[in-house]
Amino acid sequence: MKKNKNPKTFEIALSGISCAVAALALSLGIMTGLGALTATGYLIAVIALMVPLSKQFFRGDFLAYVGTVILAVVLGAAVKFWDLVPFALFFGLHPLANALQIRFKINRWLALAIKAVWFDCTLIVGYYLVFGGMLGGALFPEEVYEIINKYIFLLIFTVGTVGFFVYDYLIFKVQILINGIVFRIKK
């Protein structure tokens, strides 16, 4: 006798696991306060949110993203809420944007341009919200930070955009890897 498996329950389960892993990684990364661990939390959360997309569960992925942001705040990221803003504005939605780009066969150059502007705008918002519109610290001499703050928009629109092109390419490759791994999961 063959069992009928409900594909909706599989979508809910896959999205729920994705949300849990992403929220835990994101909140732990942000709560540490160390830049490298925050970036690692972002990366693990982005990869976790790619899992529902590997089965074309767009709605499940979006709900996992919303749940991730809410749970990260509840699990302690509210203390450093501004560190969560770049994830909420860009990084959490970027895999979904890539999947929708492929699904609807949007021109890759047009999509790349739109996503690059979106990324640059996120960097500008992050500059003002996370850094208060002024970079500084003990890593470099004061003169270096004065130059960076003076030319921040030029840096964002050049170095940030080039960095985004590399990031976007790598995220597409990671999605292909995730698709191959999740393909082996039986429904």
Side-chain angles (χ1 to χ4, degrees), residues 22 25-26 29-30 36-48 81-88 91-92 130 167:
L26 190 60
I30 289 173
L37 290 178
T38 301
T40 303
Y42 269 47
L43 182 62
I44 292 170
V46 167
I47 290 171
F81 181 74
W82 300 123
D83 289 350
L84 184 62
V85 169
F87 182 85
F91 292 101
V130 176
Y167 174 78

Side-chain angles (χ1 to χ4, degrees), residues 82-115:
W82 300 123
D83 289 350
L84 184 62
V85 169
F87 182 85
L89 289 179
F90 179 79
F91 292 101
L93 290 171
H94 180 249
L96 180 61
N98 284 348
L100 291 173
Q101 171 191 340
I102 292 170
R103 170 79 169 93
F104 294 110
K105 298 178 180 144
I106 298 171
N107 181 297
R108 68 177 162 187
W109 299 109
L110 175 64
L112 189 64
I114 292 170
K115 290 185 295 185

Side-chain angles (χ1 to χ4, degrees), residues 2-152:
K2 188 176 178 182
K3 291 183 179 179
N4 289 335
K5 295 187 179 180
N6 186 351
K8 287 293 181 191
T9 57
F10 182 67
E11 178 179 3
I12 292 168
L14 202 59
S15 300
I17 292 168
S18 168
C19 176
V21 170
L24 185 63
L26 190 60
S27 56
L28 285 175
I30 289 173
M31 287 188 310
T32 61
L34 301 172
L37 290 178
T38 301
T40 303
Y42 269 47
L43 182 62
I44 292 170
V46 167
I47 290 171
L49 289 174
M50 290 180 178
V51 173
L53 293 173
S54 63
K55 293 289 188 182
Q56 303 294 309
F57 296 150
F58 302 112
R59 185 177 3 177
D61 180 71
F62 179 75
L63 292 174
Y65 155 77
V66 170
T68 297
V69 173
I70 292 170
L71 284 173
V73 169
V74 169
L75 291 174
V79 175
K80 296 182 141 203
F81 181 74
W82 300 123
D83 289 350
L84 184 62
V85 169
F87 182 85
L89 289 179
F90 179 79
F91 292 101
L93 290 171
H94 180 249
L96 180 61
N98 284 348
L100 291 173
Q101 171 191 340
I102 292 170
R103 170 79 169 93
F104 294 110
K105 298 178 180 144
I106 298 171
N107 181 297
R108 68 177 162 187
W109 299 109
L110 175 64
L112 189 64
I114 292 170
K115 290 185 295 185
V117 170
W118 178 26
F119 179 73
D120 292 342
C121 289
T122 301
L123 289 179
I124 291 169
V125 168
Y127 173 69
Y128 284 111
L129 292 180
V130 176
F131 298 108
M134 190 63 65
L135 293 173
L139 186 60
F140 298 111
E142 183 81 22
E143 298 82 30
V144 172
Y145 287 112
E146 287 177 17
I147 293 170
I148 290 173
N149 287 316
K150 184 176 181 180
Y151 297 107
I152 191 69

